[in-house]
Amino acid sequence: MSTNRLLDKEIMEKEALFSTCALTQGKLFSFTSFKRIPTIVDLHTGKTTLLNDLLNYDPAFNADDMLSFENDIFILELNGKRLMKFNVKERNCSYFNIDCDNKTWKNYAAFAYYGNNIYVFPVYTDGVIKIDLKEERVQKKKELYIHISEYKKDKKQDGEFTFFWCGCQSGSIVWLFQRSGELVVEYDLESDTWREFELSIRIRECVHVTVYAGYMYILSAEGKIYRWNRKDNIAEEIADCRSTSRMDFVFSRIAVTDKGIFLLPLYGEEIFYIDLKTKNVKKYDSYPEDFRYCELSWSKYYGYCEDDNQYYFAMRSANYILTINKRDGIEKWVKAKLSSYEEYKKVYFSYNRKLLCETEYSIEDILSYMKKEYVEKQCRKNISKGEKIWDFAKSIC
């Protein structure tokens, strides 16, 4: 392959990257990381479709976490300002101001849907955000956060003040964890009440938690994985992968299956697999032959979605989508079949025609687009005039 063709391929792969995703109608819905173009990937064929007909879509919206329910997809904005609701059938977008914009990113600990309400648990803002979708009303409930603020003062926790750092939903319950410490909060979405637990171990830099087969699995950024039995409040360390790297804070996500756990990197490039039966840790090495990570200064794995059988990780930094089967623990790499570079430009320009930015496309691309649009407009005018003349000619014959 020539140098130019290889360069074009790398540019296209970078254009197609997406940091977060939601499963809808058996396909993966997302927004590209750099141009914020809405896309759908068919997981069976890998075909990528660019969506150019979303009503009321704000192309400045940068997607963070996403979840789906029936025909609706809910998306949190990276900067913490808004929540977007996208209806798949009507192709319509609507927005709610949630005012969690304390930072440019990492504003949310957890995100849940229950009883026709959306719940957002901020990292820095002092209250649970509850969005009543039927009434289209946004509320902030401060009681829990006031209590946690007092807990922080009592425990004299170090570092930047955060309420919760990460969490996950299981049915009507959201589990909330602080950045470091022993406190775990069980928040009941049905009653808007909570219970507190204190772990027998201290979690350092908690980065991901998930519920699987009745257990809570907790990952620290340094590479320790804990399993917590909530019924008897026993927490145990089941893997310590710190010795696998010379760096601190190198892991970001875990995918728990019946057979074992996949441990995914933050800034590193190595995936590890922990056998749940033997607790043996081994480095994963079954990548596709042409697999590679793009040279980007962000975490390799971030957003993902799941159904009863599979995990689907967003294509955030690589040229493949990672899927993992929950039953047999078998992973599959899906190669996305990308649209053409011209198609990406066309959709981008269609959403951004009011404000074209040279930092996202070159001035040559922008001028070429404007010229092409002008020519097409003139052609449509001429065709319209021609049709009028032809209709008049027919009427007098």
Side-chain angles (χ1 to χ4, degrees), residues 200-215:
S200 56
I201 52 177
R202 179 179 177 84
I203 309 296
R204 178 174 175 251
E205 198 70 28
C206 178
V207 291
H208 189 206
V209 295
T210 186
V211 178
Y212 192 83
Y215 291 96

Side-chain angles (χ1 to χ4, degrees), residues 23 305-312 326:
L23 196 66
C305 57
E306 60 185 291
D307 56 23
D308 291 339
N309 300 308
Q310 298 270 144
Y311 297 103
Y312 309 91
K326 294 181 178 180

